Amino acid sequence: MNYNFKDKVALVTGGTSGIGKEIAKQLLISGAKVIVNYAHNEENYQNTKKEFEKFKDNVLFIKADVSNEAEVKIMFEQIAKLDYLVNNAGTNIDSYIEEVNIEDFRKVLDVNLVGKAICTKHAVKLLKNSKTPSIVNIASRLGIRPCEQASAYCSAEAGIINFTRSKCIRTFKIFNQSKLCKS
């Protein structure tokens, strides 16, 4: 696909690995300026920074744990313009509920669901100034078709699917075009 994102600014959370990294890369290739958020994995950050070296004038890396509102607030204070928010950051633990550490369970919910809400809350002010504001919430099909040993992850994914469908932003019109892929 050839899209032109010249002069557009996108924030991709969880952008130094997996799906987030590929989204950031494709946006950069398409001409966007991309803010790549990461939380703690310095090795992924260094590898992504090296891989994105040819885009160095159009990429900014910001370290912030999306489940920590104070860190997210500081991240957004560093952003002057925003057209797109890609809420991608996520984590997982695999465990049956009787074996799970509740703090680990809570961390999955905090990153995968609450973190997306926190980023959306702080992005709205900047997105209101864009002519093409968009928020993409990345969620797994496990939010509608759960699997064994992933109760925290499946719960968070179901939550973000419904958060997205809830049309939670009143300051600009949201077009709910959520599609659930089969991957």
Side-chain angles (χ1 to χ4, degrees), residues 69-123:
E69 189 167 13
E71 290 185 28
V72 170
K73 185 176 179 185
I74 291 168
M75 175 174 68
F76 275 96
E77 288 171 354
Q78 298 174 64
I79 301 170
K81 178 186 179 208
L82 189 64
D83 297 293
Y84 313 121
L85 169 62
V86 180
N87 270 321
N88 171 72
T91 191
N92 187 27
I93 53 159
D94 289 326
S95 182
Y96 288 105
I97 194 67
E98 66 269 21
E99 300 159 356
V100 75
N101 175 319
I102 291 301
E103 289 307 310
D104 291 340
F105 189 96
R106 189 172 281 127
K107 183 65 177 176
V108 173
L109 294 176
D110 284 348
V111 172
N112 296 28
L113 175 58
V114 177
K116 288 176 173 72
I118 292 169
C119 287
T120 298
K121 173 186 173 183
H122 289 278

Side-chain angles (χ1 to χ4, degrees), residues 2-182:
N2 288 334
Y3 293 104
N4 183 352
F5 289 102
K6 186 177 185 311
D7 299 323
K8 298 297 181 183
V9 178
L11 167 61
V12 180
T13 66
T16 59
S17 66
I19 293 169
K21 182 177 177 178
E22 187 61 30
I23 290 170
K25 182 178 178 181
Q26 292 304 315
L27 285 165
L28 286 163
I29 289 169
S30 298
K33 293 183 184 330
V34 179
I35 301 147
V36 177
N37 157 262
Y38 70 102
H40 55 79
N41 192 317
E42 292 296 324
E43 182 179 349
N44 282 351
Y45 159 65
Q46 291 297 334
N47 290 338
T48 304
K49 185 176 176 184
K50 185 176 180 180
E51 183 179 335
F52 289 0
E53 179 64 27
K54 64 183 170 187
F55 303 110
K56 66 182 174 190
D57 293 337
N58 288 328
V59 66
L60 171 66
F61 291 88
I62 300 178
K63 183 176 182 176
D65 177 347
V66 298
S67 68
N68 181 318
E69 189 167 13
E71 290 185 28
V72 170
K73 185 176 179 185
I74 291 168
M75 175 174 68
F76 275 96
E77 288 171 354
Q78 298 174 64
I79 301 170
K81 178 186 179 208
L82 189 64
D83 297 293
Y84 313 121
L85 169 62
V86 180
N87 270 321
N88 171 72
T91 191
N92 187 27
I93 53 159
D94 289 326
S95 182
Y96 288 105
I97 194 67
E98 66 269 21
E99 300 159 356
V100 75
N101 175 319
I102 291 301
E103 289 307 310
D104 291 340
F105 189 96
R106 189 172 281 127
K107 183 65 177 176
V108 173
L109 294 176
D110 284 348
V111 172
N112 296 28
L113 175 58
V114 177
K116 288 176 173 72
I118 292 169
C119 287
T120 298
K121 173 186 173 183
H122 289 278
V124 168
K125 182 179 177 183
L126 292 169
L127 290 170
K128 287 193 306 186
N129 298 320
S130 173
K131 292 181 179 168
T132 57
S134 295
I135 299 172
V136 177
N137 290 322
I138 304 297
S140 168
R141 67 183 169 90
L142 296 180
I144 57 168
R145 300 189 81 191
C147 67
E148 285 187 31
Q149 267 188 292
S151 58
Y153 185 78
C154 294
S155 298
E157 298 307 293
I160 199 58
I161 290 167
N162 283 301
F163 173 77
T164 303
R165 290 178 174 164
S166 73
K167 299 185 180 182
C168 58
I169 302 169
R170 69 173 172 215
T171 53
F172 55 86
K173 187 170 179 142
I174 294 178
F175 297 95
N176 187 356
Q177 298 180 349
S178 59
K179 305 258 190 284
L180 300 172
C181 66
K182 297 183 183 200

